[in-house]
Amino acid sequence: MSTVTGFICDESYFWHQTGNGALNLSSGGWIQADTHAENPETKRRVKNLLDRSKFMDELQQIAPRSATRAEIEMNHSSPYIDRIKELSDAGGGDAVVHAIVGPDSYKIALKSTGGLLTSVDAVMEERVQNAYALVRPPGHHAEHDEGMGFCLFNNVAIAAKYAREKYGLKRIVILDWDVHHGNGTETAFKNDSDVLFISVHQENIFPENRGAVTYTGKGSGEGYNVNIELPAGTGDEGYFYTFDKLIEPIIDQYEPELIFVSAGQDASRFDPIGRMLVTADGYFQMSNRIKKLAEKHSNGRLIACHEGGYSTAYVPFCTLRVIEALRGKESPVEDPFDLGFHEGPMYPHQKEAVYRAVAIQSAYWDVG
Ligand SMILES: [Zn+2]
């Protein structure tokens, strides 16, 4: 179905500086540092590909506003926000665990979160049906009082809290398909039943000791936190199987009024940090599936928020396919890395991983 799709981006997102590094390591180790893995190029090339393919003409570009300090405080402690601002004003530093602040990063991070808030208003006021927010720095690892995994403020968590408060929503889904566990988002809603958090991620990758399939939320939030750990090497088929057995039935039963996707394209087959095998077409199909769920339950209201993805060559093609699915129209761009073969059917241990999650979730949902 053809759709009005918003696209939210700002030049400043590419100006957040993470310095030199070797992949995810900061400079100063045993080898010479080149460019830090979380650098602007991956994201800038997404925008370049949209421009060059003219698919940008298919989208409604919306300029993001900045989040206010009070909005950031919906999810982060005041001392933590002060620390980010101080590091930013002082020219940069590390806000705890691999979360680098550069000069002016505070203002850029406010605009990154603001990009999500702008998306929420555009979707809720029905100016667009769905939206892709190409924001940076990313957010899903950021905890209440510490930055983590290249994330400063938790864009999606703040946006969900904002949507809940401003528009009185009672049921919001956040589907996080970034290859890493969305720990910060999980923490934000662990006690809540009005935000259902579903994270599908590579097992035991990052952060340490988070994302266990057995963790289902706390108190009144119990049963509203779904962790699906997949083994390294899982590709398109495994992700589709996860949609079949868990994601689709759970979302059908929850009947959300708004859906967010924490869209990390670091489960791709070329990612230098992740170890999964999702193709650009795989991202297209997953996006189609979540779009159909949004059309069925939430009047099409769907917001995809860019998170991780570190292959500068492949993330643009994967992300373009996500945006094509949201828009309901395909560009003439073909995946230049599609060699005509896929990894084929799932291995038994991959199916078993899905069934471990089904066994846990069957206490709360009709799944499997
Ligand atoms: Zn990631």
Side-chain angles (χ1 to χ4, degrees):
M1 197 171 95
S2 186
T3 306
V4 181
T5 295
F7 179 73
I8 291 86
C9 190
D10 189 82
E11 177 63 24
S12 70
Y13 296 161
F14 308 122
W15 294 15
H16 165 58
Q17 291 181 37
T18 47
N20 296 333
L23 284 180
N24 54 331
L25 305 176
S26 297
S27 57
W30 287 100
I31 57 166
Q32 181 186 335
D34 53 2
T35 309
H36 191 279
E38 205 296 294
N39 65 68
E41 290 311 308
T42 321
K43 288 85 181 175
R44 188 183 282 288
R45 286 175 184 200
V46 172
K47 185 168 182 294
N48 290 348
L49 181 57
L50 287 167
D51 286 334
R52 191 166 163 79
S53 66
K54 300 198 172 13
F55 204 73
M56 193 69 94
D57 298 343
E58 299 288 340
L59 307 174
Q60 191 166 320
Q61 292 191 66
I62 306 172
R65 70 169 172 91
S66 293
T68 64
R69 180 169 175 126
E71 286 164 344
I72 301 296
E73 283 176 352
M74 288 196 285
N75 196 62
H76 296 284
S77 71
S78 205
Y80 172 66
I81 300 169
D82 287 341
R83 170 138 177 82
I84 298 292
K85 186 172 186 310
E86 279 160 20
L87 284 170
S88 173
D89 291 346
D94 197 335
V96 189
V97 191
H98 300 310
I100 297 163
V101 177
D104 231 20
S105 287
Y106 176 69
K107 272 192 195 152
I108 300 170
L110 291 180
K111 192 156 261 191
S112 183
T113 301
L116 265 290
L117 305 183
T118 300
S119 307
V120 168
D121 287 336
V123 165
M124 293 308 299
E125 291 164 9
E126 298 183 350
R127 282 180 274 128
V128 298
Q129 195 171 10
N130 58 36
Y132 195 95
L134 181 65
V135 296
R136 182 172 176 271
H140 75 146
H141 292 305
E143 295 279 358
H144 178 66
D145 54 5
E146 66 176 344
M148 190 186 284
F150 323 145
C151 298
L152 301 183
F153 301 142
N154 196 318
N155 303 318
V156 156
I158 295 166
K161 290 182 179 185
Y162 173 81
R164 185 166 69 177
E165 195 173 302
K166 182 167 178 186
Y167 297 100
L169 300 183
K170 301 280 190 291
R171 290 181 312 281
I172 297 173
V173 159
I174 302 174
L175 170 63
D176 187 324
W177 69 42
D178 188 285
V179 78
H180 304 100
H181 179 243
N183 59 288
T185 315
E186 176 181 88
T187 300
F189 303 109
K190 66 182 180 192
N191 294 306
D192 298 347
S193 60
D194 52 5
V195 177
L196 167 62
F197 178 61
I198 305 174
S199 181
V200 51
H201 48 271
Q202 184 185 326
E203 64 187 355
N204 300 323
I205 178 170
F206 183 86
E208 236 179 302
N209 301 321
R210 292 296 298 267
V213 66
T214 48
Y215 185 79
T216 55
K218 286 174 93 172
S220 54
E222 195 187 339
Y224 297 94
N225 192 89
V226 179
N227 282 331
I228 306 160
E229 300 178 279
L230 298 176
T234 303
D236 293 354
E237 291 303 321
Y239 277 81
F240 301 158
Y241 194 72
T242 305
F243 268 78
D244 290 341
K245 299 292 176 190
L246 288 154
I247 297 171
E248 284 173 353
I250 291 174
I251 292 178
D252 272 339
Q253 287 161 69
Y254 188 71
E255 300 181 333
E257 299 162 299
L258 172 64
I259 300 178
F260 290 94
V261 176
S262 263
Q265 276 71 266
D266 47 8
S268 90
R269 51 161 55 166
F270 293 108
D271 200 87
I273 296 178
R275 291 292 174 270
M276 298 307 219
L277 293 169
V278 179
T279 66
D281 188 59
Y283 278 107
F284 179 70
Q285 295 196 43
M286 290 200 291
S287 305
N288 264 333
R289 283 172 175 237
I290 196 71
K291 186 191 179 194
K292 284 206 178 80
L293 288 164
E295 284 167 350
K296 191 169 166 187
H297 298 295
S298 58
N299 200 23
R301 292 191 288 253
L302 171 63
I303 296 166
C305 170
H306 200 89
E307 301 280 2
Y310 306 99
S311 168
T312 48
Y314 201 46
V315 166
F317 293 101
C318 295
T319 307
L320 174 64
R321 293 294 273 159
V322 174
I323 296 170
E324 287 175 12
L326 295 188
R327 175 67 177 81
K329 189 170 180 178
E330 293 187 52
S331 80
V333 177
E334 290 185 1
D335 178 358
F337 300 100
D338 182 2
L339 303 176
F341 64 89
H342 292 267
E343 71 280 5
M346 296 172 70
Y347 289 101
H349 71 291
Q350 295 168 348
K351 268 193 181 164
E352 281 162 23
V354 175
Y355 272 97
R356 268 199 298 280
V358 166
I360 303 281
Q361 293 303 325
S362 62
Y364 310 102
W365 309 96
D366 184 9
V367 288

